[in-house]
């Protein structure tokens, strides 16, 4: 039987201030010349689960969860998420959002937003 260790608690300490790495242009940005950075804390051995933190500057971008689902816990910032049909949700610190597999829409970042994410892909 394989022994699996826990991830060191210090990895998840104070996510609002954790180093997130280098920012680069957001490929799906459609307004605002956004930059983003992400830091993965855990990936499952089969590559279907990824947990980490992500941060993005103000602007608007498209998002597509055709092949994955995502759970987002907003750490800081303010944003709106809207589906293609126009349904919208306002998000702020402490909010939890679930984007089910097949969801498509847009994020509108009002102020730099940081989230804890868990993405599960269909492999």
């Amino acid at each position: 039987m394989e022994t699996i260790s826990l991830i060191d608690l210090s990895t998840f300490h104070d996510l609002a201030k954790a180093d997130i790495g280098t920012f680069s242009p957001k490929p799906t940005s459609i307004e605002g010349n956004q930059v983003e950075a992400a830091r993965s804390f855990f990936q499952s051995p089969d590559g279907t689960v990824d947990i980490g933190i992500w941060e993005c500057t103000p602007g608007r971008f498209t998002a597509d969860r055709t092949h994955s689902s995502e759970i987002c816990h907003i750490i800081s910032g303010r944003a709106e998420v809207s589906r293609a049909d126009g349904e919208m949700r306002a998000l702020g610190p402490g909010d939890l959002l679930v984007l089910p597999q097949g969801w498509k829409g847009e994020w509108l970042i009002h102020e730099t937003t940081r989230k804890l994410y868990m993405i599960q892909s269909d492999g």
Side-chain angles (χ1 to χ4, degrees):
M1 176 182 226
E2 180 183 349
T3 301
I4 298 177
S5 300
L6 291 175
I7 296 171
D8 183 357
L9 182 59
S10 64
T11 300
F12 296 101
H13 183 72
D14 199 356
L15 295 180
K17 295 179 183 173
D19 179 25
I20 199 164
T22 304
F23 283 77
S24 59
K26 175 106 182 102
T28 61
S29 182
I30 53 178
E31 182 180 297
N33 296 319
Q34 295 171 288
V35 293
E36 68 178 349
R39 177 179 170 198
S40 180
F41 293 132
F42 171 80
Q43 291 185 345
S44 63
D46 65 1
T48 61
V49 175
D50 182 25
I51 300 171
I53 53 176
W54 168 91
E55 187 170 302
C56 188
T57 58
R60 199 170 109 229
F61 66 90
T62 61
D64 183 341
R65 289 285 161 241
T66 299
H67 300 288
S68 61
S69 60
E70 181 177 7
I71 297 171
C72 309
H73 181 251
I74 305 301
I75 298 166
S76 60
R78 299 251 174 237
E80 294 176 10
V81 175
S82 58
R83 285 193 324 209
D85 68 3
E87 181 184 9
M88 187 272 298
R89 297 283 188 264
L91 301 169
D95 290 342
L96 180 72
L97 174 70
V98 176
L99 301 174
Q101 186 170 352
W103 182 90
K104 292 181 183 182
E106 291 184 2
W107 284 72
L108 174 58
I109 307 290
H110 295 291
E111 60 185 49
T112 297
T113 296
R114 181 176 282 213
K115 70 181 180 182
L116 171 69
Y117 67 83
M118 185 186 97
I119 296 174
Q120 183 167 10
S121 57
D122 51 9

